[in-house]
Amino acid sequence: MSRLTPIQTNGATSELKRSLKNSRLKLDEAPRFLQDMANSPASLRAYIRADAALLRGQLKPRQREQIALAVAEINGSSYNLSAHYDTGKSLGLTHHEMQLARNATAEDPKAQSMLRFTQAVVLQRGEISDEDFQALRKAGFTDAQTVEIVANIALNIFSNYFNSVARTEVDFPLLQPGTDVPRVGIAQSKTRPATLRVRPPKPHINRK
């Protein structure tokens, strides 16, 4: 049972409504973790904006999902594993590819380097070796892409920890850490994305 009361549109505060104004997100149709996160409009706004910015970054959506699966498996986050498995399928990742990603590996050498780097960063809390760093560079990742990998790791850690603390009700087919396939028969949210697809906020223009 969730420790937080989910917030839906009819219960949104004026601050929360302002946070949602420039996005396509409707809380009534959003994944449960966003409804729970909406208890803090500032936190929800931070998540939405960070995810939207990284969505426009250099990493491909499939790469972002592979990172998310690896991080969720390490952190033992059932909610995030379930959500990102669902999103990965919608992006064309196969069950086999997602199983490999959960174990920080891949058949593609470049993806393998990215996932091994991800695993090292999470397990070693960022204190990686020069060898870990250089392996990523040798695989062809630029400085910008390296920064984005770390940013995606951090965003997923936030989401993992939040859902563990909140005990968010899983609204996707349940996939437990260490298990092979999702459990069937689990209620799902009306919208499927584990990450938001939002419009970027409008830039502030100083008219003074």
Side-chain angles (χ1 to χ4, degrees), residues 86-177:
D86 198 67
T87 301
K89 284 196 303 181
S90 72
L91 293 173
L93 286 170
T94 67
H95 174 72
H96 179 62
E97 287 174 320
M98 289 190 283
Q99 283 294 92
L100 291 177
R102 290 171 61 189
N103 290 288
T105 189
E107 292 179 345
D108 174 69
K110 188 169 184 177
Q112 164 97 354
S113 298
M114 177 188 72
L115 291 168
R116 288 300 188 193
F117 178 82
T118 296
Q119 182 184 57
V121 170
V122 177
L123 291 177
Q124 295 161 213
R125 300 187 180 99
E127 294 294 334
I128 61 171
S129 66
D130 289 339
E131 290 77 12
D132 291 327
F133 187 81
Q134 291 303 324
L136 189 69
R137 302 306 297 273
K138 289 177 181 177
F141 286 93
T142 65
D143 286 351
Q145 290 168 333
T146 300
V147 173
E148 285 188 24
I149 291 171
V150 177
N152 276 280
I153 291 170
L155 186 63
N156 278 283
I157 288 175
F158 165 56
S159 179
N160 289 182
Y161 285 8
F162 170 77
N163 287 314
S164 293
V165 169
R167 291 185 180 169
T168 306
E169 179 184 331
V170 180
D171 49 354
F172 298 88
L174 180 62
L175 180 60
Q176 296 279 15

Side-chain angles (χ1 to χ4, degrees), residues 59-85:
L59 295 183
K60 297 175 182 177
R62 288 164 61 100
Q63 291 175 312
R64 294 188 67 212
E65 290 308 311
Q66 287 173 306
I67 291 170
L69 287 163
V71 175
E73 186 73 31
I74 293 169
N75 287 329
S77 174
S78 297
Y79 188 96
N80 289 77
L81 269 181
S82 304
H84 287 291
Y85 185 93

